[in-house]
Amino acid sequence: MPYRDHAPGPVRGPGAPSTRAGTTASPGRPRIAALDVLRGFTLCEILLANIQLIANGDRAVTTQPMGDWDPWLGLPIFSLLFGIGFSLLLDSAANRVPRPRLVLLRRLLALLAIGLAHSLLWRGEILTSYAVVGLLVLLPSTWLPRWAVASLAPALVAAALIGGGGGPLMIAGLFLLGSALVRYGMIEALERSTRGPLLLGLAFAAGAASALWARNGTGAPSFTSSLADLLLAGVYVCTLLVLLRTPLRPALAALFAPLGRMALTNYLTATILVLAAGHLLGLPIGRSLTAAYAAAGVILAAQWLFATLWLRRHRQGPVEWLWRWVTWAQRSALRIPANRAH
């Protein structure tokens, strides 16, 4: 069946160019600013969680980089966003080419190649897992009706929680959850809704508090801690979505959106910068939390400055552009025309 059989409404944004089968016109869907902010925020958390692990190879550290805040928060948010981005791109491809799933296959294979190259620098990287799970679960799910995807998502998440709290099952479940949100038209409401994220965030907060209370009690299931982490990640997402409906929106967008628009470039270069700071400059990142926090702050500030300046004259980050080139098998313009740059 066509991918959009069960999804409401058109998928092209206002002003999108008309397309015909076999064409590869430039995308017409406007960027969803809330997703860029969420990516940027999560990217910061992931660097804080991983910086000592990167500096030490793949050896675990005795002190959690985030102190009392569990660094696992970045995995569920980024996995959810990956599933959302995958389905948004498939919607776009369905309007532009006769074989849209081939576009997504190339995208996942390119991500696998990037991840394998990145693993030469750090064996704890996540891109390889994302690509493999995407190929085995996310891409095949596009042949399923949306109700089946929405049913599989919580089942896989529950299985992952019972089995230990993470791993490929959790990634697969969150991928499918993100895909289901797109297929039910909920992502398009992100920029317009305050009540929904607020009520959902309160429900997540109540659930996280209950899970933490149960964990500290007697006889609680072993997965309550991971469940609390997952619900807490939901609280973070909903809080940001609510704040984006307030006067804080311009500040949040300016702070996080540039990082989020170049999330892949920043994720990869962070590894290079951490290793350079540790091995070339001799900073004790792997042994000192103070050095780790300071290095993370400098790296994120440098990445934000570079992304902000780069995006003034370029449509995408450099790695994102290359990834798009392979995805569509066609090179697109990278630089913004001088009369439109700002």
Side-chain angles (χ1 to χ4, degrees):
M1 70 186 69
Y3 178 70
R4 296 291 294 184
D5 266 358
H6 302 279
V11 297
R12 287 195 297 270
S18 61
T19 56
R20 299 183 303 276
T23 63
T24 52
S26 59
R29 177 190 290 274
R31 293 192 69 90
I32 300 176
L35 297 181
D36 287 329
V37 171
L38 286 171
R39 286 190 191 95
F41 169 82
T42 308
L43 190 75
C44 295
E45 194 281 332
I46 285 175
L47 178 59
L48 288 172
N50 288 337
I51 187 168
Q52 287 195 309
L53 299 175
I54 296 171
N56 289 329
D58 59 352
R59 297 190 301 274
V61 291
T62 55
T63 304
Q64 297 290 0
M66 295 292 285
D68 293 333
W69 297 95
D70 197 312
W72 187 67
L73 295 177
L75 173 65
I77 300 176
F78 232 52
S79 299
L80 181 70
L81 292 172
F82 189 90
I84 291 171
F86 182 93
S87 288
L88 288 175
L89 182 58
L90 185 53
D91 282 349
S92 178
N95 284 331
R96 296 171 54 188
V97 296
R99 301 174 65 188
R101 290 177 179 86
L102 182 59
V103 172
L104 273 298
L105 176 61
R106 287 197 297 261
R107 188 168 184 83
L108 290 170
L109 291 176
L111 185 66
L112 179 61
I114 294 171
L116 290 173
H118 187 219
S119 67
L120 298 177
L121 297 177
W122 179 46
R123 284 181 284 179
E125 69 92 33
I126 196 66
L127 299 180
T128 304
S129 297
Y130 273 25
V132 171
V133 174
L135 289 167
L136 296 179
V137 177
L138 197 51
L139 185 57
S141 75
T142 62
W143 277 277
L144 298 176
R146 63 181 185 177
W147 64 263
V149 174
S151 301
L152 278 173
L156 290 175
V157 170
L161 289 172
I162 295 172
L169 276 181
M170 177 62 71
I171 294 173
L174 292 168
F175 277 5
L176 294 181
L177 178 58
S179 178
L181 291 176
V182 174
R183 295 178 70 171
Y184 275 93
M186 299 180 68
I187 298 303
E188 296 174 354
L190 279 179
E191 302 280 19
R192 305 190 300 269
S193 176
T194 302
R195 182 179 179 183
L198 178 60
L199 294 177
L200 191 59
L202 291 174
F204 284 150
S210 299
L212 289 173
W213 177 81
R215 183 188 67 181
N216 295 330
T218 57
S222 59
F223 63 80
T224 53
S225 179
S226 296
L227 176 61
D229 291 336
L230 184 62
L231 293 171
L232 186 58
V235 172
Y236 273 71
V237 170
C238 292
T239 299
L240 274 174
L241 293 177
V242 171
L243 290 176
L244 285 171
R245 298 285 293 170
T246 72
L248 290 175
R249 179 187 178 92
L252 290 171
L255 181 60
F256 293 118
L259 292 171
R261 288 182 62 186
M262 292 175 49
L264 182 57
T265 295
N266 290 327
Y267 176 74
L268 296 172
T269 56
T271 299
I272 297 172
L273 293 173
V274 170
L275 293 176
H279 295 287
L280 299 181
L281 301 181
L283 299 181
I285 296 173
R287 302 185 302 276
S288 167
L289 273 178
T290 301
Y293 281 124
V298 171
I299 289 171
L300 289 172
Q303 289 183 329
W304 176 87
L305 180 60
F306 176 75
T308 300
L309 296 176
W310 176 271
L311 291 171
R312 288 181 180 178
R313 298 192 177 278
H314 301 84
R315 303 177 192 275
Q316 296 175 293
V319 181
E320 286 78 7
W321 178 72
L322 290 171
W323 194 20
R324 174 183 174 80
W325 186 350
V326 176
T327 297
W328 294 101
Q330 180 179 0
R331 185 175 63 178
S332 61
L334 177 60
R335 290 186 63 87
I336 299 173
N339 60 343
R340 294 178 55 191
H342 57 84

